[in-house]
């Protein structure tokens, strides 16, 4: 059922899908969908939690790798952008569940998505500062900058296409944006010594 919901949202470029749509796509009875998830919001919450769990487990793995904090930061930037690209409905789903549903849904999203990601940023930034690679950086502002920029590539693309004629987010756009964000963020938080090393 979660796979069916994911596929429908990708196909339609929208999170506006009904339980009957999901039931038809999955071959399950609509009553069964309600039994497992309670309602559509429950199903959407479960879908986001499933997608987030995969990405967040990768963060824990990244933290223990024997590479520099700067290398970890670059891998994280690319990972976040690719996650949004892999699940193009994710940003809209997060906005919907945080702002347009019951407070309980927003609390769950904060618990399994926002809080772990913010904690990862705190630890990564602290490691970078302690090793002399990063300037002291507020993790909340860092989270807002990185996630906001990644989110807006997809959330704001429709508005930009009307204003500038840019096309959809493709593999190539994704690669360009990863390089752009690496340059932008690393240029902001690397120490002068580390910038010189990165520049070669």
């Amino acid at each position: 059922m979660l796979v069916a919901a994911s596929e429908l949202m990708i196909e339609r470029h929208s999170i506006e899908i009904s339980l009957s749509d999901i039931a038809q796509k999955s071959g399950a009875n609509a009553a069964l969908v309600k039994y497992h998830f309670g309602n559509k919001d429950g199903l959407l919450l479960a879908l986001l939690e499933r997608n987030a769990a995969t990405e967040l487990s990768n963060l824990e793995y990244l933290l223990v790798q024997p590479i520099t904090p700067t290398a970890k930061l670059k891998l994280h930037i690319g990972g976040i952008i690719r996650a949004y690209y892999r699940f193009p409905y994710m940003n809209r789903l997060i906005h919907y569940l945080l702002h347009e549903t019951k407070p309980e849904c927003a609390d769950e999203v904060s618990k399994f998505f926002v809080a772990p990601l913010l904690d990862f940023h705190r630890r990564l930034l602290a490691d970078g500062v302690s090793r002399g690679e990063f300037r002291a950086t507020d993790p909340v502002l860092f989270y807002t900058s990185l996630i906001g920029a990644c989110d807006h590539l997809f959330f704001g693309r429709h508005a930009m296409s009307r204003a500038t004629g840019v096309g959809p987010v493709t593999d190539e756009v994704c690669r360009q944006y990863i390089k752009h964000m690496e340059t932008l963020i690393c240029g902001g938080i690397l120490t002068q010594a580390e910038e010189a090393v990165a520049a070669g």
Side-chain angles (χ1 to χ4, degrees):
M1 287 178 271
L2 296 180
V3 171
S6 177
E7 289 176 352
L8 278 170
M9 287 190 281
I10 292 171
E11 288 167 12
R12 297 182 181 181
H13 306 286
S14 172
I15 63 169
E16 295 300 321
I17 56 174
S18 67
L19 287 180
S20 59
D21 291 334
I22 296 165
Q24 185 176 8
K25 178 83 172 176
S26 65
N29 186 293
L32 192 61
V33 178
K34 284 187 180 179
Y35 173 77
H36 282 291
F37 302 103
N39 54 30
K40 189 177 85 168
D41 286 350
L43 183 142
L44 295 178
L45 189 64
L47 176 61
L48 180 60
E49 187 167 12
R50 185 201 70 171
N51 294 348
T54 302
E55 301 307 320
L56 293 172
S57 67
N58 292 339
L59 298 185
E60 291 304 315
Y61 176 77
L62 179 59
L63 272 179
V64 299
Q65 294 310 297
I67 56 178
T68 66
T70 302
K72 291 175 185 179
L73 175 61
K74 289 181 177 181
L75 287 171
H76 175 54
I77 292 168
I80 286 287
I81 294 171
R82 288 190 192 95
Y84 274 80
Y85 182 57
R86 193 177 314 118
F87 307 115
Y89 54 81
M90 191 162 73
N91 59 326
R92 281 169 285 178
L93 201 51
I94 291 168
H95 284 283
Y96 172 74
L97 291 168
L98 282 174
H99 304 295
E100 299 179 41
T101 58
K102 294 180 179 177
E104 295 80 10
C105 277
D107 290 343
E108 282 298 307
V109 174
S110 295
K111 185 167 67 176
F112 70 70
F113 183 79
V114 179
L117 195 49
L118 187 53
D119 182 59
F120 169 81
H121 289 163
R122 283 194 183 101
R123 289 185 285 165
L124 177 59
L125 292 171
D127 187 32
V129 170
S130 71
R131 292 170 185 258
E133 294 183 27
F134 299 166
R135 298 184 179 97
T137 303
D138 184 295
V140 174
L141 296 180
F142 177 84
Y143 172 96
T144 304
S145 301
L146 175 58
I147 303 306
C150 294
D151 176 270
H152 199 70
L153 173 65
F154 299 89
F155 198 70
R157 193 73 174 181
H158 183 66
M160 286 191 294
S161 68
R162 289 178 177 275
T164 65
V166 295
V169 179
T170 61
D171 286 336
E172 180 56 27
V173 169
C174 213
R175 285 192 290 272
Q176 289 174 358
Y177 202 62
I178 289 170
K179 281 190 163 297
H180 169 73
M181 289 304 298
E182 283 180 0
T183 302
L184 198 64
I185 289 178
C186 290
I189 72 169
L190 293 186
T191 60
Q192 288 183 339
E194 195 59 29
E195 281 185 301
V197 170

